Amino acid sequence: MDFHPTEEQAAAAGLAARIFRDLATHERLAAAGTGSDAELWKALTTAGLTAAVEDIGLLGLVLLLEEQGRTTAQVPYAATCVYGILPVAAHGSAEQRARLLPALGSGEAVATGAFPARGRITASPDGRLTGTAPVVPWLRDATHVLVPDAERDLWLVRTDAPGVGTPEVETTAPWSAGRLTLAGAQAERLGDATAHDEVLATARTAFAGLQAGVCAGSLARAVEYTSTREQFGRPLSTNQGVMLRAADAHMDTEAIRVTAYEAAWRIDEGLPAREHALTAAWWASEAGKRVVHTGQHLHGGMGADLDHPVHRHFLWGRQLDEYLGCGSELLAELGALLSDHAAPEGDDA
């Protein structure tokens, strides 16, 4: 694969970096709590960075999500793209694309997904959904939810439709999360039987890219802190133990980034990528957890301050770890997938 972004991808990432840096400040993030930043979301959509995902592809989206992760900017960008724009563009009918894509691209509509549903939601023959998804990111902001049913068919549900409950649960997740409750809610089918696995691989890759940015931001804060904070007359960064922890965190962050890039590139090229998306998700879960813990530890006592900016990276890293699935769960799924591919035809062993 070619790790160099295209001119369009690089320009979009540079613009996103400026917007996130200017608007996702510590003061604004502290004021937002677990909610989203409406002004920042408007700036992104007005700049065309949401609609641009159709043109820059998943690899371009991963580059933009890295920039979001560096600042932990609280906007439903990843969710709207991977559960709205990309699946509708790839699997929607001509009527669905014409109706939904303009609204999603302009920010008038916000999408999210009830992934992983784990068979908790069932669909009736006439397209009515019943069941519960315990935690759905950005549900409190969403106008549409992409819902997989027990048969792994995909359905789009409007959050204002009859039968859709109010997202009552409040979580520590910094992304307006809520519980999705469906009681005979009318939904529209999206795509065919292949859509579920493709959307899941895309989502895993995108959220791994977001985790790469979260880790990079955490490490940057730790480097800055340990380079200026002195102990016994010298910077903390000169201590060998500090340098080793920071070096390990850097290598973990690069592993998350490169596996996310590879998975995104393969998906954009139409190549098989389920194993690669799982690998990226595993690195994002396991290594991401290590990196944000390191970022907090290297801040010493300051890392225990819930109001310190590094704590936000810690919280995002742990929430993304939980959302992607614990490392052992992802590794078991990856092992089963590789075993299925390796087994000779007709071999029941």
Side-chain angles (χ1 to χ4, degrees), residues 42 70 135 249 329 340:
K42 183 177 180 180
R70 290 179 199 276
V135 180
E329 181 182 10
D340 288 344

Side-chain angles (χ1 to χ4, degrees), residues 285-298:
S285 176
E286 284 289 291
K289 182 166 49 183
R290 290 195 296 267
V291 173
V292 296
H293 274 269
T294 293
Q296 195 168 41
H297 289 166
L298 291 182

Side-chain angles (χ1 to χ4, degrees), residues 93-347:
S93 65
E95 186 277 331
Q96 286 174 321
R97 292 195 298 271
R99 171 167 47 90
L100 295 169
L101 288 177
L104 290 166
S106 68
E108 177 185 349
V110 174
T112 187
F115 284 75
R118 295 188 173 91
R120 294 187 177 97
I121 296 172
T122 58
S124 67
D126 63 344
R128 294 186 178 276
L129 304 184
T130 300
T132 301
V135 180
V136 177
W138 302 109
L139 182 59
R140 284 183 279 153
D141 292 339
T143 57
H144 297 76
V145 186
L146 187 64
V147 180
D149 67 17
E151 304 300 322
R152 298 163 73 88
D153 293 327
L154 295 184
W155 303 85
L156 267 176
V157 183
R158 287 193 59 92
T159 55
D160 59 359
V164 179
T166 302
E168 300 171 350
V169 67
E170 179 72 24
T171 73
T172 58
W175 41 39
S176 299
R179 177 187 293 115
L180 178 67
T181 304
L182 303 171
Q186 186 65 54
E188 58 179 309
R189 180 73 182 273
L190 184 72
D192 56 22
T194 65
H196 176 276
D197 287 349
E198 292 180 15
V199 170
L200 182 58
T202 296
R204 281 170 165 165
T205 302
F207 281 103
L210 183 60
Q211 182 76 302
V214 170
C215 291
S218 175
L219 183 57
R221 290 189 181 279
V223 168
E224 180 183 9
Y225 179 81
T226 56
S227 297
T228 56
R229 177 74 169 178
E230 292 190 358
Q231 187 178 60
F232 305 118
R234 62 177 187 171
L236 288 172
S237 59
T238 61
N239 293 326
Q240 187 178 42
V242 172
M243 289 189 284
L244 290 174
R245 286 293 300 275
D248 286 342
H250 172 73
M251 294 304 296
D252 274 338
T253 301
E254 289 302 300
I256 301 169
R257 177 182 289 116
V258 73
T259 52
Y261 284 6
E262 182 183 20
W265 176 81
R266 291 184 66 89
I267 290 172
D268 284 342
E269 294 295 313
L271 299 171
R274 284 184 63 193
E275 299 96 326
H276 302 80
L278 270 167
T279 301
W282 180 81
W283 272 105
S285 176
E286 284 289 291
K289 182 166 49 183
R290 290 195 296 267
V291 173
V292 296
H293 274 269
T294 293
Q296 195 168 41
H297 289 166
L298 291 182
H299 277 77
M302 296 298 294
D305 183 358
L306 300 185
D307 295 324
H308 194 282
V310 76
H311 178 71
R312 192 174 295 107
H313 289 272
F314 175 79
L315 187 58
W316 273 71
R318 291 312 308 261
Q319 293 289 354
L320 283 166
D321 162 41
E322 190 278 334
Y323 184 65
L324 286 164
C326 68
S328 58
E329 181 182 10
L330 292 167
L331 203 59
E333 186 179 345
L334 177 60
L337 187 60
L338 294 175
S339 178
D340 288 344
H341 289 176
E345 188 174 349
D347 187 355

